[in-house]
Amino acid sequence: MELTGAEIVVQCLIEEGVDHVFGYPGGAVLHIYDAFYKQDKIKHVLVRHEQAATHAADGYARSTGKPGVVLVTSGPGATNAVTGIATAYMDSIPMVVLTGQVPRPLIGNDAFQEVDAVGITRPVVKHNFLVEDVKDLAMTLKKAFFIATTGRPGPVVVDIPKDITAFKTDFMYPREIKMRSYCPTIKGHAGQVKKALEHILDAKKPMIYTGGGVILSNASEDLVTFTQTLGAPVTNTLMGLGAYPASDKQFVGMLGMHGTYEANMSMHNCDVLIAIGARFDDRVTGNLEKFCPDATIIHVDVDPASISKNVKVDVPIVGDVKQVLTEFNNQLSKNDRRIDSAALEGWWSQINEWRAQNCLKYDHDSGTIKPQFVVEQLHEVTKGDAFVTSDVGQHQMFAAQYYGFDKPRRWINSGGLGTMGFGMPAAMGVQFAHPDETVVCITGEGSIQMCIQELATCLQYGLPLKIINLNNRYLGMVRQWQEFFYEKRYSMSYMDSLPDFVKLAEAYGHVGIRVEKPEDVRQALEDAMTKYKDRLVFIDFMTDREENVYPMIPAGAGLNEMILI
Amino acid sequence: MNMKHIISILLENESGALSRVAGLFSARAYNIESLTVAPTDDETLSRMTLVTSGTEEIVEQIMKQLNKLVDVVKLIDLTVNEHIERELMLAKVQATGEARSEVKRLADIFRGHIIDITDTTYTIELTGTGEKLDAFLTSLSSIKIFEVVRSGAIGISRGEKSLTS
């Protein structure tokens, strides 16, 4: 069957089972948009800025595990998408981004809306392609989906010149693909698995530290089995929250810069550290020289380059997290040996002493709205079962610390790149994927303004997002650092001339609510979830201006050197 | 300790493959001393030879990061095993007066060839390890050098061990 390049693009997406494409049209992709117009299998979502298209596709991917798909035009379309591509790259999110390109004869001539999209995106993609022949188009798209979704996932950009989308060729979508230069290791080495288990069962003070890899690999159940069989404490990174239920007693909270005291102290004092699908990020380890001084470190990761990158590992296991955890669990079920129970009991009593510090306590009697309180109330009103996206800053940490995620893929945030403006468009992607679920975006008055135009997209598609704006009239995290480390010189951290967010929400056709007193917090949240269930509700919470995120590990300190409130 | 490593890489002969490797080195602040790339007997593959230096940990990361590039088919650190290293140099030097015979003598000692002559210059072609080429240039210390062009090292492992797809 002969199809145009544009028709081939659409057919390939259908073959890949894509149901949503997030994008914005422009000159170089007009043929593709015309092909979209003539079909009804894929819903195209029109955003208001290409950055939002990538974040929406990203939110869709994080909440479903399926690759997010983006379509943007050449030049500024591609450059606007870069922030979202880099966001997905840093958090290993599967995404396929189609960028239009000027026709091949014009490439390199500084044509209108021409940029070297492959060159610009190269450092922030898992791989990218420039399609140079319409005959290669289907195979290139097949490769793009294959690369994006296998091994350590990530974004793949396919740059398609406009003339290619007009040419015709026979279309046949390849069923299978094999690339000699790309074959990720999935199964963990049996000898290493055995060796790791020996260390684990010999432990007196074991600690399980897991990251986003457990979620990406859909291995939460396996992690729960593993953790409960061992009886060991478990911590999740910012990216890994929800992989282990926060309400379980073996969960010691998030670790790292704003992690709990008990999580960080357990890390620092453990004798065997079992790192699974985590990458020893600098926000997690603190000062590397002081990191886990007495621990034998086991590291399971699908990406060999993540192993021994920051921290020298004693037992590396390269493989898919789910496969390796399944193997751990199989071996444990065949073996009656367990960690010495007396040692484990002693370890837990130590951990419970740390826990008794109650490091997440905060002032309930200030008369001001504490951001922590809003998040706790939100947890209650949504029964802890909402999809929660966030932007970046203090509100992100409060959400991570106080929401208590019991399920994977419920917590959606830009952990690696730390992209302000991520929250609302990501929530849109989540809501498209889960139309009947409650989707909340916890944000701040700084971040929300970085993609505020998407309120229009939400109206167009009737997305009933609940936007929780923790408005302290400061760039809170910047202000906190300036308070601690720059003698309160609040350089540019004050948001002067803020808009009236209630009127703004209303201007976009949504419901706006302002909350100024702690006693009104609960009612506003309940109204948002019930009275205005089917509307987008923007709640502008006027929070305590100078509340800080505690506890905190200052720069250069070890995990055992936290500042407590 | 920083050691010199010669890394041989087989990569897909695709446009942009070279910039992926070069971009990786600049993005991660790795050092490149030299880099050469050309097609192989298999036209779908290019072979790149990259000379770098760093601690054991850094070179291990370099190898892993290179391996992660989708266009990289295979790679080997030649310096780990017995290997042969060669580099080509063209040096254009002044050849007047006493220097005319002196340069000829030095070129002979280093088994170089004079491949172009003018009234005032010789152009010498010399192959060998980087150290040999350095030594030749040092021996020319009293001679005026107009221009030196070096290819960067290429290498191959000894015996039957081969880097093939």
Side-chain angles (χ1 to χ4, degrees), chain B residues 62-123:
Chain B
I62 290 175
M63 296 291 286
K64 284 176 173 175
Q65 293 290 349
L66 283 169
N67 217 358
K68 212 169 128 174
L69 294 176
V70 171
D71 282 337
V72 169
V73 180
K74 249 184 191 171
L75 75 165
I76 185 175
D77 181 353
L78 288 175
T79 20
V80 172
N81 291 306
E82 284 195 317
H83 66 282
I84 297 156
E85 171 196 345
R86 284 292 179 273
E87 184 174 357
L88 170 67
M89 176 169 80
L90 302 178
K92 190 188 292 176
V93 302
Q94 189 161 42
T96 50
E98 279 184 22
R100 204 158 173 93
S101 53
E102 174 66 9
V103 172
K104 171 78 172 73
R105 254 196 313 279
L106 284 169
D108 288 344
I109 292 169
F110 279 86
R111 297 179 202 285
H113 306 287
I114 295 172
I115 56 171
D116 188 46
I117 296 177
T118 67
D119 289 350
T120 53
T121 66
Y122 283 160
T123 300

Side-chain angles (χ1 to χ4, degrees), chain A residues 199-216:
Chain A
H199 282 292
I200 293 168
L201 293 174
D202 281 342
K204 303 261 183 298
K205 296 187 283 181
M207 180 69 188
I208 303 169
Y209 145 53
T210 82
V214 176
I215 291 169
L216 292 167

Side-chain angles (χ1 to χ4, degrees), chain B:
Chain B
M1 204 176 75
N2 276 7
M3 296 280 288
K4 178 179 139 182
H5 289 258
I6 303 173
I7 300 172
S8 261
I9 307 161
L10 275 185
L11 67 169
E12 297 288 354
N13 192 3
E14 301 270 353
S15 67
L18 170 63
S19 46
R20 287 181 210 284
V21 174
L24 170 68
F25 274 70
S26 60
R28 294 191 181 266
Y30 302 142
N31 164 41
I32 300 185
E33 283 175 21
S34 73
L35 186 157
T36 71
V37 59
T40 64
D41 53 328
D42 175 348
E43 63 183 24
T44 65
L45 289 171
S46 298
R47 180 152 171 160
M48 176 182 281
T49 311
L50 202 150
V51 180
T52 184
S53 62
T55 61
E56 207 179 305
E57 291 77 30
I58 289 175
V59 174
E60 185 187 328
Q61 261 301 308
I62 290 175
M63 296 291 286
K64 284 176 173 175
Q65 293 290 349
L66 283 169
N67 217 358
K68 212 169 128 174
L69 294 176
V70 171
D71 282 337
V72 169
V73 180
K74 249 184 191 171
L75 75 165
I76 185 175
D77 181 353
L78 288 175
T79 20
V80 172
N81 291 306
E82 284 195 317
H83 66 282
I84 297 156
E85 171 196 345
R86 284 292 179 273
E87 184 174 357
L88 170 67
M89 176 169 80
L90 302 178
K92 190 188 292 176
V93 302
Q94 189 161 42
T96 50
E98 279 184 22
R100 204 158 173 93
S101 53
E102 174 66 9
V103 172
K104 171 78 172 73
R105 254 196 313 279
L106 284 169
D108 288 344
I109 292 169
F110 279 86
R111 297 179 202 285
H113 306 287
I114 295 172
I115 56 171
D116 188 46
I117 296 177
T118 67
D119 289 350
T120 53
T121 66
Y122 283 160
T123 300
I124 304 142
E125 172 195 310
L126 187 62
T127 60
T129 62
E131 288 78 14
K132 177 182 165 184
L133 305 188
D134 292 342
F136 179 64
L137 290 177
T138 312
S139 74
L140 291 176
S141 59
S142 61
I143 311 286
K144 182 170 170 58
I145 300 173
F146 292 115
E147 203 175 351
V148 171
V149 190
R150 295 172 70 149
S151 65
I154 57 167
I156 199 162
S157 40
R158 293 195 61 197
E160 288 186 7
K161 197 173 163 56
S162 313
L163 182 65
T164 52
S165 65

Side-chain angles (χ1 to χ4, degrees), chain A residues 95-144:
Chain A
M95 189 187 278
V96 173
V97 180
L98 311 177
T99 53
Q101 182 53 277
V102 301
R104 280 171 309 158
L106 293 185
I107 289 179
N109 284 5
D110 303 322
F112 176 65
Q113 293 196 326
E114 180 186 1
V115 292
D116 174 9
V118 166
I120 286 177
T121 59
R122 188 177 296 121
V124 293
V125 294
K126 184 168 173 187
H127 196 59
N128 58 18
F129 297 94
L130 170 66
V131 181
E132 294 178 84
D133 187 330
V134 69
K135 292 192 182 70
D136 298 335
L137 184 55
M139 182 52 95
T140 304
L141 288 167
K142 179 81 185 170
K143 283 182 183 173

Side-chain angles (χ1 to χ4, degrees), chain A residues 52-347:
Chain A
T54 51
H55 292 329
D58 185 325
Y60 175 95
R62 289 182 203 235
S63 67
T64 60
K66 290 162 64 180
V69 180
V70 177
L71 172 60
V72 295
T73 193
S74 64
T79 55
N80 279 345
V82 169
T83 299
I85 296 169
T87 304
Y89 179 67
M90 289 293 277
D91 291 342
S92 308
I93 304 304
M95 189 187 278
V96 173
V97 180
L98 311 177
T99 53
Q101 182 53 277
V102 301
R104 280 171 309 158
L106 293 185
I107 289 179
N109 284 5
D110 303 322
F112 176 65
Q113 293 196 326
E114 180 186 1
V115 292
D116 174 9
V118 166
I120 286 177
T121 59
R122 188 177 296 121
V124 293
V125 294
K126 184 168 173 187
H127 196 59
N128 58 18
F129 297 94
L130 170 66
V131 181
E132 294 178 84
D133 187 330
V134 69
K135 292 192 182 70
D136 298 335
L137 184 55
M139 182 52 95
T140 304
L141 288 167
K142 179 81 185 170
K143 283 182 183 173
F145 278 92
F146 175 59
I147 293 168
T149 55
T150 51
R152 180 178 179 176
V156 176
V157 166
V158 183
D159 198 30
I160 310 174
K162 186 172 184 179
D163 54 335
I164 299 257
T165 61
F167 289 138
K168 284 190 167 181
T169 191
D170 278 331
F171 173 69
M172 234 237 329
Y173 199 60
R175 288 288 130 217
E176 299 225 345
I177 187 156
K178 203 169 175 328
M179 294 173 70
R180 64 179 170 183
S181 63
Y182 175 75
C183 17
T185 305
I186 299 304
K187 194 174 176 327
H189 186 276
Q192 292 294 89
V193 168
K194 191 161 167 274
K195 194 171 159 195
L197 272 177
E198 279 167 18
H199 282 292
I200 293 168
L201 293 174
D202 281 342
K204 303 261 183 298
K205 296 187 283 181
M207 180 69 188
I208 303 169
Y209 145 53
T210 82
V214 176
I215 291 169
L216 292 167
S217 177
N218 295 317
S220 290
E221 283 179 26
D222 311 271
L223 174 65
V224 170
T225 306
F226 177 68
T227 305
Q228 296 186 349
T229 308
L230 292 178
V234 58
T235 180
N236 292 160
T237 66
L238 180 67
M239 290 309 301
L241 292 175
Y244 191 89
S247 55
D248 187 82
K249 61 184 189 309
Q250 278 174 255
F251 186 66
V252 294
M254 182 173 76
L255 83 164
M257 182 172 275
H258 293 297
T260 65
Y261 184 64
E262 52 270 35
N264 286 333
M265 290 301 281
S266 306
M267 288 289 290
H268 186 81
N269 290 283
C270 72
D271 66 350
V272 174
L273 179 66
I274 309 152
I276 306 173
R279 60 183 178 89
F280 297 86
D281 177 84
D282 56 279
R283 285 292 193 269
V284 156
T285 61
N287 187 333
L288 283 174
E289 283 172 17
K290 299 177 184 173
F291 182 74
C292 292
D294 306 319
T296 300
I297 302 178
I298 297 157
H299 188 187
V300 181
D301 205 295
V302 75
D303 176 11
S306 280
I307 292 178
S308 292
K309 181 175 69 180
N310 300 334
V311 171
K312 185 89 185 135
V313 168
D314 301 291
V315 187
I317 303 176
V318 177
D320 175 64
V321 163
K322 189 174 177 74
Q323 295 255 350
V324 176
L325 274 173
T326 305
E327 193 49 36
F328 276 156
N329 289 335
N330 283 344
Q331 301 275 339
L332 284 169
S333 69
K334 284 191 232 150
N335 183 348
D336 288 339
R337 209 183 135 211
R338 290 292 177 265
I339 297 171
D340 179 65
S341 60
L344 207 49
E345 209 171 298
W347 179 224

Side-chain angles (χ1 to χ4, degrees), chain A residues 20 63 382 385-387 410 427-440 461-466 529 533-534:
Chain A
H20 288 79
S63 67
T382 57
D385 202 29
F387 285 83
R410 286 291 204 268
M428 294 174 358
V430 176
Q431 189 82 77
F432 276 112
H434 306 275
D436 300 325
E437 303 281 343
T438 303
V439 182
V440 180
Y461 295 97
L463 303 177
L465 304 183
K466 310 304 172 197
M529 305 303 161
K533 188 174 189 301
D534 298 327

